[in-house]
Amino acid sequence: MFLLVALVALCLGYLLVKYHQRRQQLLEISRHFSGPYPQYFLGCYYLFKNKSVEDIFDVLNECHQKYGADVSMVGAFNDLVLDLSGTENVEKVLLAKTTKKSFPYEFLEPWLGTGLLLSFGDKWFQRRKIITPAFHFKMLDQFMDVFNREANVLVARLESQVNQKEFDIYDYITLYALDSICETSMGVQVNAQNDPNNEYARSVKQMSEFIFRRVFSVLRQFPSLFFLYPFAKEQEQVIKKLHNFTNSVIEKRRRQLENEQLLNKVEFNRDEEDLYSKRRDTFLDQLLKVTVNGQPLSTADIREEVDTFMFEGHDTTTSGISFTILQLAKCQDVQQKLFEEINTAFGADASTTVLTSASLQELKYLDLVIKEALRLRPPVPFIGRKLLEDMEMNGTIVPAGTTISLNIYNVHRNPKVFPDPERFDPERFSDENEVKRGPYDYIPFSAGFRNCVGQRYALLEMKVTIVKLIAAYRILPGESIDRLRLKTDLVLRPAGTGIPVKLVKRLR
């Protein structure tokens, strides 16, 4: 018995010595950055303990205000995280090909698999090559009818809020974005705007909530212990629903294409003229028509990419549109100037006219408004990476395995690049006022070779929505708008009351 106790004590002592050595190594790395001092076992977890979701977002921003652009945090049990907003180090990480997505992206894998968002190495390069043609501008032009139609539904649904009390417009935009992306990605109309209790819509929302709850859990480093989470079984059931829905859509569409004899067995480097001359194809159609080494993609491969597009395109466009509306409600002079541009371009029928990508290009001030909205409230405020090789930063070697958080929210608040950074000022992006900026000073869609492949899609949808709404309604701030707080999991969202606005119908 004595020998057993002695052996256990020896093992524990050895582990403690190794733990202490590792801690000292991380503290030495942290010395080249700046940040809060970590407790021995729980690290900087004390900063987030018992905090609300809004408080957590505020804590991260306060750290950057207090410690500077590049913040080092030693998490629980020697988990080193570097939260970077200095563009020199941000550029290094974004250009590095020896990285992969880190937490919280890893929590998405049970749902999204290892599609474009989560894959790396050869698989990522192959999938990117396959998917890129689906976002060619000629393909996106074919989606404009969907954006127009669903935006018209949104305008009609908002009619009930005219001259009423404040309401949360974020919920309306969420359902609109879900309808748009379901039809453009899968060719399926889920009618979420008219049926907010749609099972698929509920399941997507539930998954976002599950992910957020894991991000700030002390157990996040131990994926094998996921079964201990109280919602583990519920998440499993929700994922099964999502996969069953996508699988059924894929198989149904595959049979339709085979029956129509449109399923051509062509390699993914097919002729561009042939690719874009067909009738409107969805994202799913493009994947069904692809073959790699003579073989079509499996249902599981296709589902990975369709689900990934659904996740990335739904929440991010919702965030981008909603926070643009927020800024326009708060800045009535900007909203009026934008309305005048829209009215000049399209006249009294602006809210019902069929917008095209060509006609939207004429709205120069709209471009400035959206750029500034994306600067101030980037839909993806943080990008997570894990180093696969050692990397030099700030005069020290950051070891492989380190988690890097690229803090886009604070990159966009560099006062040397964006004077008075909290002020909403679209004119800062005009040709007359634009100052010299580096390529990594403004990155709402990330940058480097892993930049957002769907950014053109997002911008087109944003523009159609904003034009339709501003043409139909004057958007006013709700009484509680100044109490709005932010939260984030993978996407920036409003907390509490959402985005409270009021509507007044435009009089012609």
Side-chain angles (χ1 to χ4, degrees):
M1 184 65 180
F2 174 78
L3 288 177
L4 180 60
V5 172
L7 182 60
V8 170
L10 186 64
C11 289
L12 290 175
Y14 173 78
L15 292 174
L16 185 59
V17 168
K18 298 299 290 184
Y19 180 91
H20 184 77
Q21 289 175 344
R22 169 67 174 167
R23 174 179 166 83
Q24 293 306 114
Q25 291 171 353
L26 297 186
L27 290 177
E28 175 58 26
I29 294 170
S30 297
R31 189 175 62 81
H32 293 265
F33 297 85
S34 185
Y37 191 78
Q39 294 176 345
Y40 199 81
F41 286 111
L42 294 183
C44 296
Y45 179 71
Y46 65 91
L47 292 172
F48 306 104
K49 186 179 179 182
N50 299 325
K51 299 290 187 182
S52 68
V53 292
E54 301 92 335
D55 291 336
I56 289 170
F57 185 79
D58 291 341
V59 167
L60 290 171
N61 290 321
E62 287 165 5
C63 283
H64 277 268
Q65 294 170 14
K66 182 175 181 179
Y67 298 110
D70 296 332
V71 177
S72 169
M73 291 190 187
V74 178
F77 312 116
N78 283 336
D79 173 30
L80 177 62
V81 177
L82 298 179
D83 198 74
L84 309 177
S85 63
T87 52
E88 182 179 348
N89 287 327
V90 167
E91 179 177 359
K92 285 182 181 179
V93 175
L94 287 177
L95 291 182
K97 295 186 177 181
T98 52
T99 66
K100 68 175 185 176
K101 293 293 180 75
S102 68
F103 93 93
Y105 295 93
E106 294 163 349
F107 303 151
L108 289 165
E109 191 167 333
W111 176 23
L112 305 184
T114 54
L116 189 66
L117 179 64
L118 301 179
S119 61
F120 62 98
D122 291 341
K123 181 174 181 178
W124 181 87
F125 282 102
Q126 183 193 74
R127 291 291 176 89
R128 179 81 177 209
K129 188 174 183 180
I130 289 172
I131 289 168
T132 296
F135 294 98
H136 189 281
F137 70 90
K138 291 183 180 179
M139 289 297 299
L140 295 180
D141 279 347
Q142 301 174 45
F143 296 149
M144 290 298 290
D145 62 327
V146 175
F147 296 153
N148 275 277
R149 183 174 65 254
E150 295 301 339
N152 288 339
V153 173
L154 174 63
V155 169
R157 289 195 70 238
L158 289 172
E159 183 81 29
S160 64
Q161 298 291 348
V162 171
N163 299 325
Q164 302 297 312
K165 296 179 180 179
E166 71 173 28
F167 70 101
D168 178 15
I169 200 169
Y170 188 88
D171 285 344
Y172 285 84
I173 302 300
T174 298
L175 297 173
Y176 155 73
L178 184 59
D179 274 344
S180 296
I181 204 160
C182 277
E183 187 166 355
T184 56
S185 66
M186 293 186 286
V188 173
Q189 292 183 328
V190 297
N191 297 314
Q193 293 194 82
N194 294 315
D195 180 17
N197 294 318
N198 175 282
E199 186 176 56
Y200 187 80
R202 287 202 318 271
S203 297
V204 171
K205 185 176 181 180
Q206 283 178 287
M207 277 305 300
S208 296
E209 292 170 352
F210 294 149
I211 292 162
F212 183 85
R213 289 161 70 179
R214 291 188 68 183
V215 168
F216 295 100
S217 168
V218 73
L219 293 177
R220 73 173 189 226
Q221 296 178 72
F222 308 104
S224 61
L225 298 180
F226 176 62
F227 68 93
L228 295 176
Y229 286 85
F231 56 86
K233 187 165 286 295
E234 186 181 4
Q235 175 177 302
E236 183 180 339
Q237 294 170 346
V238 169
I239 290 174
K240 185 177 180 180
K241 290 179 184 177
L242 290 167
H243 283 175
N244 286 343
F245 178 82
T246 309
N247 285 340
S248 67
V249 171
I250 292 170
E251 290 307 316
K252 180 179 179 181
R253 187 59 182 152
R254 193 194 297 274
R255 290 192 299 270
Q256 288 175 341
L257 289 176
E258 287 172 344
N259 292 337
E260 296 169 8
Q261 297 183 334
L262 292 174
L263 191 54
N264 300 316
K265 307 300 184 183
V266 292
E267 293 292 329
F268 57 71
N269 57 348
R270 52 193 182 261
D271 181 71
E272 185 176 293
E273 283 304 311
D274 176 69
L275 179 65
Y276 303 123
S277 63
K278 307 291 190 225
R279 63 173 175 76
R280 177 167 70 84
D281 283 345
T282 65
F283 182 62
L284 170 58
D285 290 340
Q286 293 298 309
L287 294 175
L288 283 167
K289 294 178 182 181
V290 163
T291 64
V292 180
N293 299 324
Q295 297 297 317
L297 295 176
S298 69
T299 296
D301 287 334
I302 293 172
R303 190 189 68 216
E304 283 184 338
E305 301 306 342
V306 172
D307 284 347
T308 294
F309 183 45
M310 283 294 307
F311 168 74
E312 289 196 279
H314 165 231
D315 273 351
T316 53
T317 51
T318 296
S319 178
I321 293 166
S322 298
F323 283 113
T324 303
I325 292 170
L326 168 70
Q327 299 302 332
L328 291 171
K330 295 172 70 174
C331 302
Q332 290 293 307
D333 57 333
V334 174
Q335 185 179 158
Q336 180 61 27
K337 185 172 180 178
L338 178 58
F339 170 72
E340 290 170 1
E341 179 181 65
I342 293 169
N343 197 46
T344 298
F346 303 112
D349 298 325
S351 62
T352 56
T353 192
V354 177
L355 302 170
T356 66
S357 56
S359 64
L360 289 172
Q361 288 178 12
E362 302 301 315
L363 303 180
K364 303 302 183 184
Y365 191 64
L366 175 63
D367 282 338
L368 305 186
V369 168
I370 289 178
K371 283 181 179 179
E372 176 68 345
L374 294 176
R375 179 195 69 81
L376 205 56
R377 299 286 185 265
V380 181
F382 309 102
I383 299 175
R385 294 284 190 272
K386 181 171 284 187
L387 298 185
L388 300 179
E389 292 182 358
D390 295 352
M391 181 179 290
E392 187 279 326
M393 290 185 197
N394 294 7
T396 191
I397 299 299
V398 178
T402 299
T403 296
I404 307 291
S405 175
L406 303 179
N407 194 316
I408 295 176
Y409 190 86
N410 280 287
V411 167
H412 289 178
R413 280 163 169 73
N414 183 348
K416 294 180 181 177
V417 179
F418 302 104
D420 193 7
E422 293 297 335
R423 181 167 57 92
F424 181 70
D425 179 16
E427 296 293 348
R428 71 171 84 238
F429 285 97
S430 67
D431 293 338
E432 296 79 11
N433 297 326
E434 189 164 8
V435 299
K436 184 173 178 57
R437 302 187 185 103
Y440 296 88
D441 287 326
Y442 178 73
I443 49 173
F445 295 101
S446 186
F449 70 100
R450 288 197 73 137
N451 67 339
C452 176
V453 70
Q455 59 183 285
R456 286 177 176 166
Y457 176 100
L459 288 171
L460 274 178
E461 185 176 359
M462 286 184 68
K463 289 179 179 181
V464 170
T465 315
I466 298 301
V467 168
K468 295 279 188 178
L469 288 177
I470 297 302
Y473 305 114
R474 183 182 173 200
I475 303 174
L476 303 173
E479 289 82 0
S480 62
I481 203 162
D482 290 331
R483 298 195 296 273
L484 184 148
R485 298 184 67 189
L486 304 175
K487 64 179 182 180
T488 182
D489 36 56
L490 293 170
V491 175
L492 192 67
R493 311 174 194 275
T497 57
I499 295 182
V501 299
K502 296 193 280 190
L503 299 183
V504 175
K505 197 169 184 66
R506 297 280 184 184
L507 298 177
R508 301 289 179 173

